[in-house]
Amino acid sequence: MPLYILGIESSCDDTAAAVIADDVILSNVAANQDIHSSFGGVVPELASRAHQQNIIPVIHAALQKANINKNQLAAVAYTRGPGLLGSLLVGASFSKAFALGLNIPLIEVDHLQAHILAHFIHNAEKSNPVPSFPFLCLTVSGGHTQIVIVKDHFNMHIIGQTIDDAAGETFDKAAKIMGLPYPGGPFIDKLAREGDPGRFSFAKPNIPALNFSFSGLKTSILYFLRDRIKENKDFIEQNKADLCASVQKTIIDILLAKLEKAAFETGIREIAIAGGVSANSGLRSSLNAMKDKNGWNVFIPPLSYTTDNAAMIAVTGYFKYLKKNFALQSDAPYARSRF
Ligand code: KG4
Ligand code: ZN
């Protein structure tokens, strides 16, 4: 009998549930919260209220799609942090009550570890390759930008990270300056496909070691556009695709230069990307283009496991279950990264 594990993710503005049979995905359901787009960012109070409305239908759908009954579950895994506390509390409280009611173990999961462990989710045929240890993972999301050495499922070391904004935040802020909806990353990605990435250039940071900085780039985009708009109020509208392509290329160049440096310094050639920004088509193709040049084995997650999802929580739960690493009812969610 496989271990059926229910994963629940509610760290930000997606309410998500997934069921896994050992490490094989059975269902992966999410309810997005459109309500935030008109505010240009996630409004925490609205997010937690929407989680409360969505969580039961989403879990119901995940169980139904997996074609299993809740009594067949071996454990409930939930995102404990980092994230918005009000949002995390909804998933945590539901998971605790559900596990208690079913009398099965509760497993707490770190959202960032889960983004990385999404690489170990198998499709039904088990035909997808998984990275071997140790590998390097560039985790790029709305809140984090890290290069991590992954020595084992739970033995991970951050060897580089942003000292200010995250890569996803930079996409979103650049999009906001250009009048695009929130979250802006996917809109920039789409428009960039029609644009010339060499048309405009923006200042790149000079940060030591394997760390990143994106706040200067954001200011550089802001001032550049402010000056151009003074000369031509329609500048953004007339150059949107080229602007998006140029901003996207700058962010990708910054990310991949540090990833290449990390691979060189560690000698590791198993290279993965994870997190919402790993959905970016430019990042995915640039990384693929680097693999032959550097002799890398590259691992790019399927799109459904890039942005926040519960499949990654469920698979992390599976690995923790194997170690009998169970959580307590008294565990409190945490807002800031712990690993
Ligand atoms: O991992 P994620 O869903 O949530 C966090 O854990 O933060 O990442 C969300 C981030 C947002 O900043 C969003 O704009 C960005 O991922 N993102 C993208 C793309 N899809 C999502 N950025 C660039 N290109 C995309 N295609
Ligand atoms: Zn995330």
Side-chain angles (χ1 to χ4, degrees):
M1 265 279 284
L3 285 172
Y4 294 114
I5 296 186
L6 172 69
I8 297 177
E9 155 64 33
S10 72
S11 66
C12 192
D13 58 342
D14 295 302
T15 319
V19 177
I20 210 155
D22 294 338
D23 51 0
V24 175
I25 191 75
L26 297 183
S27 66
N28 189 25
V29 178
N32 306 109
Q33 303 179 0
D34 293 335
I35 192 161
H36 306 287
S37 75
S38 54
F39 294 94
V42 176
V43 184
E45 287 78 9
L46 295 180
S48 57
R49 209 175 302 158
H51 282 306
Q52 285 179 338
Q53 283 162 356
N54 294 340
I55 195 155
I56 290 177
V58 163
I59 289 168
H60 188 71
L63 289 169
Q64 215 168 33
K65 226 169 158 200
N67 201 19
I68 68 154
N69 182 291
K70 64 180 187 306
N71 296 313
Q72 291 172 268
L73 290 172
V76 180
Y78 74 99
T79 307
R80 184 175 173 195
L84 299 170
L85 273 184
S87 292
L88 290 165
L89 273 168
V90 178
S93 321
F94 185 92
S95 305
K96 287 177 183 181
F98 205 46
L100 202 61
L102 294 170
N103 197 22
I104 53 176
L106 176 71
I107 299 169
E108 50 98 19
V109 170
D110 182 276
H111 182 86
L112 292 166
Q113 285 192 342
H115 267 303
I116 296 172
L117 295 179
H119 283 284
F120 295 91
I121 301 168
H122 277 293
N123 56 28
E125 300 78 34
K126 284 214 159 199
S127 58
N128 53 317
V130 299
S132 32
F133 300 117
F135 66 92
L136 286 182
C137 187
L138 172 71
T139 309
V140 269
S141 72
H144 296 87
T145 301
Q146 303 176 333
I147 300 177
V148 182
I149 295 191
V150 187
K151 296 185 177 161
D152 198 348
H153 293 113
F154 298 104
N155 185 356
M156 303 183 183
H157 296 282
I158 299 167
I159 56 171
Q161 58 189 322
T162 183
I163 57 167
D164 42 55
D165 294 347
E169 215 175 339
T170 312
F171 269 105
D172 297 340
K173 284 178 177 169
K176 195 172 179 180
I177 299 170
M178 290 189 271
L180 296 170
Y182 177 86
F187 291 95
I188 293 192
D189 188 351
K190 193 157 175 247
L191 285 160
R193 286 174 215 177
E194 320 279 304
D196 171 7
R199 173 91 187 283
F200 304 111
S201 58
F202 300 103
K204 286 205 187 110
N206 190 6
I207 302 294
L210 297 171
N211 291 327
F212 301 93
S213 166
F214 287 103
S215 66
L217 172 60
K218 183 189 68 190
T219 315
S220 155
I221 297 167
L222 189 67
Y223 288 173
F224 173 81
L225 290 176
R226 187 193 58 186
D227 294 345
R228 293 297 160 289
I229 289 168
K230 272 188 203 153
E231 297 155 7
N232 169 11
K233 69 174 178 32
D234 297 323
F235 181 81
I236 294 180
E237 217 38 61
Q238 289 165 0
N239 297 282
K240 219 170 219 173
D242 289 348
L243 282 167
C244 287
S246 303
V247 165
Q248 177 169 298
K249 181 176 187 319
T250 310
I251 297 173
I252 293 171
D253 286 352
I254 295 169
L255 292 172
L256 292 183
K258 286 291 165 106
L259 185 58
E260 197 165 35
K261 184 169 154 73
F264 180 74
E265 286 179 5
T266 59
I268 296 174
R269 289 179 178 188
E270 294 274 301
I271 309 287
I273 52 172
V277 179
S278 70
N280 184 267
S281 59
L283 178 61
R284 294 163 85 92
S285 60
S286 302
L287 184 61
N288 262 330
M290 283 168 86
K291 87 178 164 198
D292 291 335
K293 180 185 121 202
N294 291 328
W296 289 351
N297 264 334
V298 161
F299 298 87
I300 297 175
L303 284 177
S304 52
Y305 304 149
T306 54
T307 47
D308 289 348
N309 65 88
M312 67 186 196
I313 307 301
V315 80
T316 307
Y318 167 68
F319 291 121
K320 283 200 158 183
Y321 190 103
L322 295 183
K323 288 179 176 290
K324 300 272 177 281
N325 188 348
F326 301 135
L328 300 173
Q329 285 280 333
S330 55
D331 288 337
Y334 51 89
R336 299 205 157 269
S337 185
R338 279 195 171 175
F339 106 96

